Amino acid sequence: IAGEKAGILKAGVPSAIAAQSGEALTAIEKRAEAVGAPLVRHGLDWEAKPEPDGFSFHLRGVSQHYPAPSLPGDHQIANAGLALVLAHLIEDRLPTSVASRQAGVSGAVWPARMQHLVGGALPALLPEGSELWLDGGHNRHAAAAVAAVLKDWRTRRPGRPVWLVVGLLDTRPPEEYLAPFAGLVGGVRTVTIPGEVAALPADTIAHVAENLGIPAEASDTVEAAVTAAAHNVGGPVTVLICGSLYFAGAVLRMMN
């Protein structure tokens, strides 16, 4: 996959890359050398390090401080750092100030990427003081990143239970997506994504979750799943709707 994506590299055009596994990095470097594309590599040329009040950004000896990204998770600090590298690489054609870059980091909006859902019918189904979130990351790497956010929530908000509402396609092993959440959530309510031929049946997802040690039950609709999650807790709860991007799209349409 890395080799295919590296096909976009062009001779003489600098390219910034985030942290990569050894095999993926080798594939990218091989392509870059073949076409003569300079690489700006994470860990060697640039870095973004979390700090209590945001993160520090380092690029070839220059260091700057930035506020925390508006998007939750340490992985979004890495994403913001990569965007900042690109901003510096095109500085001669599209100049930006530090203040404008800081505003971009703290004000970025990315629908269905740990998006806080506020207002509308779905959040109204939850008890007062609850939160409803949405994420469309659909592979094991995305699930691991979301699980890291949930771990942080547990540390900062002890006693606040987290439940998942999950809808998946049958194009990836569901156990790979669900495994990172074992031991982190109170339970899972599963839904068959409406209108999708490749949707994995809710009963199948629930069965996989149960085999991973995650309490799970199937629901007929998103509304029923959210309501059931709240009922299981009986007080303020954080509910994360997650799984396929198709599922996230269906939920966002419900919010409009």
Side-chain angles (χ1 to χ4, degrees):
I1 292 173
E4 290 293 329
K5 290 186 178 292
I8 199 173
L9 299 179
K10 296 178 176 61
V13 179
S15 297
I17 57 174
Q20 306 289 329
S21 67
E23 188 177 6
L25 180 60
T26 298
I28 296 171
E29 290 178 333
K30 182 178 180 180
R31 173 65 180 178
E33 183 178 1
V35 302
L39 290 181
V40 184
R41 294 166 292 185
H42 176 271
L44 292 176
D45 304 297
W46 74 272
E47 199 165 19
K49 295 182 177 180
E51 293 183 347
D53 58 345
F55 69 97
S56 57
F57 172 69
H58 310 275
L59 175 63
R60 292 173 173 168
V62 177
S63 298
Q64 296 171 334
H65 181 269
Y66 283 86
S70 54
L71 306 170
D74 284 350
H75 61 292
Q76 297 296 358
I77 290 178
N79 285 341
L82 186 62
L84 291 171
V85 174
L86 296 173
H88 281 277
L89 290 179
I90 62 172
E91 183 74 21
D92 59 332
R93 285 161 287 167
L94 184 64
T96 54
S97 66
V98 173
S100 66
R101 294 194 295 270
Q102 290 174 332
V105 167
S106 61
V109 176
W110 193 353
R113 283 296 188 267
M114 292 307 292
Q115 178 183 356
H116 190 193
L117 301 180
V118 180
L122 284 179
L125 297 173
L126 297 176
E128 185 177 352
S130 298
E131 293 181 353
L132 184 64
W133 293 76
L134 176 67
D135 188 83
H138 49 273
N139 55 36
R140 61 188 177 89
H141 301 290
V146 172
V149 175
L150 300 191
K151 289 179 183 178
D152 180 60
W153 284 356
R154 287 182 58 177
T155 300
R156 294 188 292 109
R157 298 184 287 189
R160 168 69 74 89
V162 178
W163 277 67
L164 303 184
V165 172
V166 177
L168 296 167
L169 297 182
D170 63 7
T171 52
R172 285 184 172 85
E175 58 272 13
E176 288 188 359
Y177 180 82
L178 292 168
F181 300 110
L184 285 178
V185 299
V188 174
R189 286 284 173 165
T190 63
V191 179
T192 304
I193 303 173
E196 292 298 332
V197 176
L200 202 62
D203 288 336
T204 301
I205 303 172
H207 180 70
V208 171
E210 288 280 354
N211 285 343
L212 291 169
I214 308 173
E217 288 187 35
S219 295
D220 292 331
T221 65
V222 175
E223 294 92 339
V226 171
T227 301
H231 177 75
N232 274 280
V233 174
V237 60
T238 297
V239 175
L240 171 62
I241 303 173
C242 57
S244 168
L245 273 174
Y246 289 91
F247 190 40
V251 171
L252 288 177
R253 287 192 292 273
M254 294 171 62
M255 293 290 295
N256 294 330

